[in-house]
Amino acid sequence: MNKHFFGLPDRKQRKILNSGYKVFSSNTYKKASMQLIADEAGISKSLLFHYFHNKQTLYEFLFLSAIRILQDQENTKIYTNGQDFFDLLEYELNLRLKLIERFPFKYRFLMRVYDENSLINNKEVNRIISESIKRRKMEVLNCVDKSKFRHEDDLEILYEIIIDLSNGFYFRVFDNGKMEKEGALNEFRLYLKNLKHNYYRKEK
C-alpha cells in the first residue's frame, strides 16, 4: 500500500474503503475487480493501483481496517456486572447503527470474507473473526443479570437468536433499501420486547 493513501482527506479515504467493502461484498473475490472498485469510488483504476499495489493488498487492508473499526467500537463499550440484558442489546444496537451509517457495507464484507474459501490465509481470517465474535458474546453473557430470566440456561441461545435477528435487520435496512430505517428499528425493538416478555420472569 502506498503511504499517499493516508495523505488523502478522511472523506476520500472513507469513500475508497466503502467502495471496496461494497464491491467485495457483492461479488466473489475472483469477480470483484479493481476497475469496479475504482468506478464506485469515482477515481481512475491507475490511481487505485497507485494507492494499493494489487487487489490482494487492497482486500487485506479492507479486512484489517474492518477488524480495527470493530475493535475500536468494542473498546468504547462499558460492561459492568448486573446489566439488564435487553438494555445492553439496545446500547449495542445504537452503536452498530452509528457505525453502519459510516460504513454501510462493512458487515456484509466481513460475512463474505468469513465464507470465502479461495483466499490464501482463509484459516487465519476465520480465526480472527471467530475470536472476535466469541469475545463479544462472552463479554455480554458474563455481565448481564441472569436472575431476571425464567431459566438462566436460555440466555446463550437467546443471544444467538437476537444476533440472527440483528443480521437480518441489517440486510433489510442497509442492503436492499426495502424498509425505512426508523420503521425497521421500531420493528426490531418490538421483537426484543416480545422476547423479553417470554424469557424474563414476571415482575411481582
Side-chain angles (χ1 to χ4, degrees):
M1 183 184 62
N2 193 300
K3 64 181 180 180
H4 292 299
F5 174 78
F6 291 110
L8 294 172
D10 289 343
R11 179 181 59 82
K12 290 186 177 181
Q13 288 188 37
R14 189 162 64 248
K15 177 68 173 177
I16 293 173
L17 290 177
N18 278 327
S19 298
Y21 289 145
K22 182 177 181 179
V23 171
F24 278 120
S25 64
S26 302
N27 302 274
T28 63
Y29 177 80
K30 290 182 178 180
K31 291 185 177 181
S33 69
M34 294 291 272
Q35 184 66 64
L36 286 173
I37 296 170
D39 291 344
E40 185 69 30
I43 61 176
S44 66
K45 184 172 70 170
S46 61
L47 186 56
L48 186 59
F49 274 112
H50 178 64
Y51 296 139
F52 300 93
H53 180 64
N54 54 39
K55 186 170 71 171
Q56 181 69 27
T57 301
L58 173 56
Y59 189 87
E60 292 176 354
F61 179 76
L62 288 170
F63 171 71
L64 293 175
S65 296
I67 293 298
R68 185 169 61 252
I69 291 168
L70 284 178
Q71 290 173 340
D72 289 343
Q73 182 191 31
E74 290 174 356
N75 290 336
T76 65
K77 299 174 184 177
I78 301 176
Y79 295 100
T80 57
N81 291 330
Q83 287 184 276
D84 182 272
F85 178 68
F86 290 93
D87 287 347
L88 182 57
L89 290 176
E90 178 80 13
Y91 176 68
E92 294 259 349
L93 176 62
N94 289 330
L95 281 179
R96 185 169 179 176
L97 284 174
K98 291 179 182 178
L99 187 58
I100 288 174
E101 287 173 353
R102 292 186 64 222
F103 300 98
F105 293 94
K106 180 181 67 64
Y107 282 103
R108 193 173 74 171
F109 168 77
L110 284 175
M111 292 176 190
R112 169 73 75 174
V113 173
Y114 190 78
D115 292 331
E116 184 68 64
N117 294 318
S118 62
L119 299 182
I120 297 174
N121 295 321
N122 182 252
K123 288 184 178 180
E124 179 65 10
V125 166
N126 287 351
R127 183 190 65 79
I128 293 173
I129 295 178
S130 296
E131 287 185 357
S132 177
I133 293 173
K134 183 179 179 180
R135 181 170 59 252
R136 182 177 63 178
K137 176 181 177 180
M138 294 309 299
E139 287 176 340
V140 171
L141 298 185
N142 288 335
C143 73
V144 299
D145 183 358
K146 299 179 179 62
S147 67
K148 294 184 177 182
F149 286 85
R150 294 180 180 180
H151 306 286
E152 291 186 12
D153 293 342
D154 290 337
L155 178 55
E156 187 166 351
I157 191 171
L158 178 60
Y159 179 87
E160 298 293 344
I161 290 172
I162 293 175
I163 290 299
D164 287 341
L165 282 174
S166 65
N167 288 336
F169 163 76
Y170 158 69
F171 280 112
R172 293 170 68 184
V173 174
F174 294 95
D175 226 18
N176 56 32
K178 291 182 178 178
M179 289 190 68
E180 185 266 332
K181 185 178 78 171
E182 194 59 35
L185 182 59
N186 289 335
E187 183 179 343
F188 184 74
R189 285 173 173 151
L190 181 61
Y191 292 152
L192 294 183
K193 182 178 179 180
N194 289 335
L195 288 169
K196 183 175 183 177
H197 174 76
N198 286 294
Y199 281 89
Y200 265 20
R201 298 177 186 272
K202 293 182 179 180
E203 295 184 0
K204 296 180 181 181

